[in-house]
Amino acid sequence: MGQPLVEIRNITKIFPGVTALEDISFTINAGEIHALIGENGAGKSTMIKILSGLYKPEPGGEIVFDGEPFREYSTLESLHRGIVVIYQDFSLFSNLSVMENIALGPYVSAGKQMVDWKAMEEIARKALDKLQLQIDLHVPVGSLSVAKQQIVAIARALANNARLLVLDEPTSALSKGEVIKLFDIMRSLKKDGISLLFISHKLDELFAISDRFTVLRDGKCMGTFDEEELDDDRLISLMVGRKIVYKIFDKNKRDDVILEVKHLSKAGQFKDINFTLSRGEILGITGLVGAGRTEVAQAVFGLNPFDSGEVLLEGKPVRVQKPSEAVKLGIAYVPENRLQEGLVLGKSVKDNLVITVLNSISNRLGLVDAGKKSKLTAEWMEKLNIKPLMPDLLTSKLSGGNQQRVVLSKWLATNPKILIVDEPTNGIDVGAKTEIHQILRTLAESGIAVIVISSELPEILAIADRVLIMRRGRITAEKFCEGLNQEDILSKAI
Ligand SMILES: Nc1ncnc2c1ncn2[C@@H]1O[C@H](COP(=O)(O)OP(=O)(O)OP(=O)(O)O)[C@@H](O)[C@H]1O
Ligand SMILES: [Mg+2]
């Protein structure tokens, strides 16, 4: 085992009304991959914001880096010591080129006055070579795929001489192949003696890559464990303090068709898509990322105009041109990317929750009825167990998983006839997953037709009545889920 690189000692962080971290101590060794895990709101992101100097801990604790205590707890100090955090949005400048994103930091800190493009190019090239990524240095970063942007962010970290690289849920938007590539990169960084702190809710990924695990529960540290000491059950009980039973729901066959999609096509995205959806049914759509699942869903919702084909709602052809028309027709779509598409982060939980139903809680003059607004908010916060129970808190201050629940409730509040949810439990902890499944199942029982897009086969098998399997823009199979197993689905998806 390596030497200690970062010693976190007695760190506490208090926000108004919430103790996010309480007396946390653990050590990250040089050259190890260290997992930080816990339920939504356990304090993981807060911990890394302290490491990166974005938040200051309460007096009394300290962080010792390579034998030397932090003095200021500022972002500059963290950067100088070699701590680089890659947040979910990467914080890249999307209009600047790949080269500028990677090399600007080291270049500016070298105190150069004139821009020496040659030198910058060399810094960027060297960092990318290390990651074995062939990529045009001069294209704007915004034009790259999410996976490539992530590698650019890692290259930037290398150019900044990172000694500890922190990755907050780095795999949530990646395909299986891209995750494998990222893990290869993580292992090669580790070989070079760089330490990695890795946050994820996907247990299989955590076990595949991590040397040691530190578990947080409710802001407290439950200890640090070697990989060999743990298995799924042990880890889950450390995280949530109770046993989680993964529930498989009863499957139903329904035939009260509400939505019919016929020969839907769009060049380059999907071809000849046909399916029906019945009241009270959960229809799963699965396949690899990039198979065209989201594109089809967005076409039905009016976000992605299709070239040809037909959508019938309750037997009548409809041509939905934009999302507001879809909502009027009773269709709701909960996107996968909670931050970019789902929330206004600068507004409160309350304001976000009622955004979709302002009409129904306003009087004739268009003024929002504050009482109705509070009642509705309280109702959904309770139903989806959104924490903390503070309707006036800005959504930017909620943990990632709780933000996801706000997005979900905002759409549920519209009382949709058809609910489309894209990767509903991405970024949601193991305990809460089952709660979300229960909610979707209850909605279906109440007569709503639900479409669940998910890459997680256990999730599809647990809740869906029927599943469509897509590959490269086409439906390759349609099956009832009763008695189906993962292998049956996989063979049609690949
Ligand atoms: N700036 C802030 N102001 C007030 N409360 C905050 C702030 N940042 C975080 N919190 C609270 O601190 C607690 C821990 O949040 P944190 O984001 O660290 O959780 P997390 O473990 O990253 O969860 P997730 O898995 O859902 O991302 C939560 O209760 C959250 O609401
Ligand atoms: Mg978080």
Side-chain angles (χ1 to χ4, degrees):
M1 257 293 115
Q3 294 290 308
L5 178 69
V6 193
E7 291 161 75
I8 292 154
R9 295 182 183 154
N10 311 103
I11 292 292
T12 295
K13 179 70 194 172
I14 301 173
F15 295 113
V18 187
T19 301
L21 296 173
E22 193 180 330
D23 200 24
I24 303 292
S25 301
F26 67 98
T27 299
I28 304 167
N29 290 326
E32 77 168 341
I33 300 180
H34 196 114
L36 184 62
I37 69 160
E39 286 187 283
N40 295 138
K44 305 176 296 292
S45 295
T46 304
M47 187 64 240
I48 67 177
K49 283 176 185 158
I50 288 177
L51 277 173
S52 71
L54 267 174
Y55 293 156
K56 287 195 194 332
E58 311 302 327
E62 69 172 350
I63 296 177
V64 178
F65 192 95
D66 208 8
E68 208 184 302
F70 274 16
R71 278 177 237 283
E72 300 166 19
Y73 297 90
S74 67
T75 46
L76 211 60
E77 180 175 45
S78 291
L79 260 182
H80 278 154
R81 307 300 296 273
I83 298 181
V84 179
V85 178
I86 299 182
Y87 295 99
Q88 259 202 300
D89 61 1
F90 313 133
S91 323
L92 294 168
F93 301 100
S94 51
N95 52 341
L96 293 187
S97 71
V98 170
M99 174 181 84
E100 289 163 318
N101 267 290
I102 297 174
L104 218 46
Y107 197 77
V108 170
S109 63
K112 298 262 165 61
Q113 296 290 324
M114 295 273 286
V115 179
D116 177 348
W117 295 101
K118 267 243 145 57
M120 266 179 78
E121 190 161 338
E122 201 172 305
I123 295 175
R125 173 66 56 210
K126 231 174 89 192
L128 284 173
D129 279 352
K130 236 192 186 151
L131 302 175
Q132 297 177 357
L133 181 73
Q134 265 79 49
I135 199 175
D136 184 350
L137 282 180
H138 302 288
V139 298
V141 155
S143 67
L144 301 174
S145 71
V146 172
K148 288 206 169 120
Q149 290 191 28
Q150 194 168 55
I151 295 178
V152 171
I154 296 175
R156 182 180 54 179
L158 293 183
N160 279 298
N161 297 316
R163 298 187 64 197
L164 172 67
L165 186 64
V166 184
L167 301 161
D168 196 355
E169 295 191 45
T171 63
S172 53
L174 303 187
S175 68
K176 278 254 154 35
E178 290 165 341
V179 171
I180 291 170
K181 176 103 210 299
L182 174 68
F183 282 6
D184 282 345
I185 289 176
M186 288 170 68
R187 287 193 193 97
S188 83
L189 296 177
K190 169 180 151 173
K191 230 189 257 149
D192 290 342
I194 296 174
S195 306
L196 294 108
L197 187 64
F198 176 51
I199 297 180
S200 168
H201 286 290
K202 298 180 181 162
L203 299 187
D204 51 339
E205 294 183 1
L206 285 160
F207 278 111
I209 189 94
S210 313
D211 301 310
R212 295 199 302 157
F213 292 72
T214 292
V215 184
L216 300 183
R217 187 203 298 173
D218 266 340
K220 294 183 200 68
C221 187
M222 307 305 292
T224 298
F225 306 86
D226 283 341
E227 196 255 340
E228 302 88 64
E229 292 176 72
L230 296 172
D231 56 27
D232 277 20
D233 285 347
R234 180 88 208 285
L235 197 59
I236 291 170
S237 75
L238 283 164
M239 277 166 68
V240 303
R242 59 180 191 278
K243 243 188 132 60
I244 300 282
V245 232
Y246 201 77
K247 188 168 178 220
I248 306 283
F249 295 89
D250 284 344
K251 301 290 178 282
N252 291 302
K253 289 189 185 175
R254 319 256 184 179
D255 49 10
D256 183 5
V257 173
I258 179 166
L259 178 78
E260 201 172 352
V261 169
K262 285 184 175 169
H263 308 298
L264 214 62
S265 296
K266 175 158 186 170
Q269 290 191 356
F270 48 83
K271 200 157 175 156
D272 199 23
I273 301 296
N274 295 286
F275 66 88
T276 62
L277 175 71
S278 295
R279 286 190 180 79
E281 148 180 83
I282 297 184
L283 175 67
I285 305 184
T286 191
L288 304 179
V289 173
R293 305 165 305 170
T294 297
E295 288 77 5
V296 168
Q298 293 191 342
V300 172
F301 189 62
L303 264 174
N304 179 24
F306 47 89
D307 298 338
S308 60
E310 209 179 10
V311 175
L312 304 171
L313 195 66
E314 296 176 312
K316 290 187 225 53
V318 288
R319 182 92 203 188
V320 182
Q321 309 274 10
K322 44 180 196 265
S324 58
E325 291 172 18
V327 173
K328 266 198 203 116
L329 291 168
I331 308 174
Y333 168 70
V334 186
E336 170 178 25
N337 195 328
R338 62 186 177 236
L339 297 183
Q340 281 170 15
E341 299 172 40
L343 285 177
V344 187
L345 290 172
K347 289 204 176 257
S348 68
V349 173
K350 218 172 172 174
D351 287 339
N352 270 285
L353 238 161
V354 301
I355 240 166
T356 48
V357 291
L358 284 177
N359 283 336
S360 63
I361 60 166
S362 304
N363 64 17
R364 267 181 300 161
L365 298 174
L367 292 174
V368 173
D369 181 329
K372 280 187 187 160
K373 181 170 165 180
S374 298
K375 196 166 155 258
L376 197 76
T377 308
E379 185 186 323
W380 284 106
M381 287 188 85
E382 196 207 306
K383 264 193 199 157
L384 269 80
N385 198 7
I386 296 171
K387 283 181 193 155
L389 206 73
M390 294 159 81
D392 294 308
L393 200 66
L394 294 183
T395 44
S396 59
K397 298 187 168 167
L398 291 185
S399 78
N402 281 291
Q403 290 174 344
Q404 180 85 327
R405 294 176 215 201
V406 175
V407 177
L408 201 55
S409 28
K410 150 183 141 175
W411 287 105
L412 293 177
T414 63
N415 280 324
K417 290 187 220 164
I418 298 174
L419 175 69
I420 308 172
V421 283
D422 202 342
E423 300 285 1
T425 61
N426 202 351
I428 291 199
D429 68 63
V430 280
K433 244 183 198 164
T434 317
E435 282 168 33
I436 302 274
H437 290 163
Q438 180 71 57
I439 289 165
L440 291 173
R441 208 57 234 184
T442 311
L443 289 167
E445 295 304 328
S446 78
I448 297 176
V450 182
I451 296 180
V452 174
I453 300 173
S454 176
S455 310
E456 284 192 47
L457 300 182
E459 173 160 283
I460 294 278
L461 294 173
I463 58 172
D465 299 301
R466 205 156 42 98
V467 60
L468 305 175
I469 303 153
M470 286 188 69
R471 185 164 67 103
R472 296 210 194 120
R474 286 173 182 273
I475 294 177
T476 51
E478 176 184 340
K479 294 188 181 300
F480 285 101
C481 291
E482 182 91 71
L484 202 65
N485 62 38
Q486 297 205 35
E487 290 70 39
D488 301 333
I489 299 183
L490 266 176
S491 63
K492 300 285 178 192
I494 303 172

Coordinates of all heavy atoms in Angstrom, one line a residue, residues 41 44-46 168-169 199 201 338 399-401, ligand 2:
G41 N -27.5 12.8 -0.5 CA -27.5 13.7 0.6 C -26.6 13.3 1.8 O -26.5 14.0 2.8
K44 N -21.2 13.5 0.2 CA -20.1 13.2 -0.7 C -19.6 14.4 -1.4 O -18.5 14.8 -1.4 CB -20.5 12.1 -1.7 CG -21.0 10.8 -1.1 CD -21.5 9.8 -2.1 CE -22.6 10.2 -2.9 NZ -23.9 10.3 -2.2
S45 N -20.6 15.1 -2.1 CA -20.2 16.3 -2.9 C -19.6 17.4 -2.0 O -18.7 18.1 -2.3 CB -21.3 16.8 -3.7 OG -21.7 15.9 -4.7
T46 N -20.2 17.5 -0.8 CA -19.7 18.5 0.2 C -18.3 18.2 0.5 O -17.4 19.1 0.6 CB -20.6 18.5 1.4 OG1 -22.0 18.8 1.0 CG2 -20.2 19.6 2.4
D168 N -16.6 13.1 -9.6 CA -18.0 13.0 -9.0 C -18.9 12.5 -10.0 O -19.3 13.1 -11.0 CB -18.4 14.4 -8.5 CG -19.6 14.4 -7.5 OD1 -20.1 13.3 -7.3 OD2 -20.0 15.4 -7.0
E169 N -19.4 11.3 -9.8 CA -20.3 10.6 -10.7 C -19.9 10.7 -12.2 O -20.7 11.2 -13.0 CB -21.7 11.0 -10.5 CG -22.3 10.7 -9.1 CD -23.8 11.0 -9.0 OE1 -24.5 10.6 -9.9 OE2 -24.2 11.6 -8.0
I199 N -16.6 8.8 -7.0 CA -17.9 8.8 -6.5 C -18.9 8.2 -7.5 O -18.9 8.7 -8.7 CB -18.4 10.2 -6.1 CG1 -17.5 10.8 -5.0 CG2 -19.9 10.2 -5.6 CD1 -17.9 12.2 -4.6
H201 N -22.9 5.8 -7.8 CA -24.0 5.0 -7.2 C -24.1 3.6 -7.7 O -24.9 2.8 -7.4 CB -25.3 5.7 -7.3 CG -25.5 6.9 -6.5 ND1 -25.6 6.8 -5.1 CD2 -25.5 8.2 -6.7 CE1 -25.7 8.0 -4.6 NE2 -25.6 8.9 -5.6
R338 N -30.6 15.9 -15.3 CA -31.3 16.8 -14.4 C -30.9 18.2 -14.4 O -31.6 19.2 -14.2 CB -31.3 16.2 -13.0 CG -29.8 16.2 -12.5 CD -29.8 15.5 -11.1 NE -28.4 15.4 -10.8 CZ -27.7 14.3 -10.5 NH1 -28.3 13.1 -10.5 NH2 -26.5 14.3 -10.1
S399 N -28.7 17.9 -2.8 CA -27.8 16.9 -3.4 C -28.3 16.5 -4.7 O -29.5 16.7 -5.0 CB -27.7 15.8 -2.4 OG -28.8 14.9 -2.5
G400 N -27.4 15.9 -5.5 CA -27.7 15.5 -6.9 C -29.0 14.6 -7.0 O -29.9 14.8 -7.8
G401 N -29.0 13.6 -6.1 CA -30.2 12.7 -6.1 C -31.5 13.4 -5.7 O -32.5 13.0 -6.3
Ligands
MG2 MG -23.5 14.7 -4.9

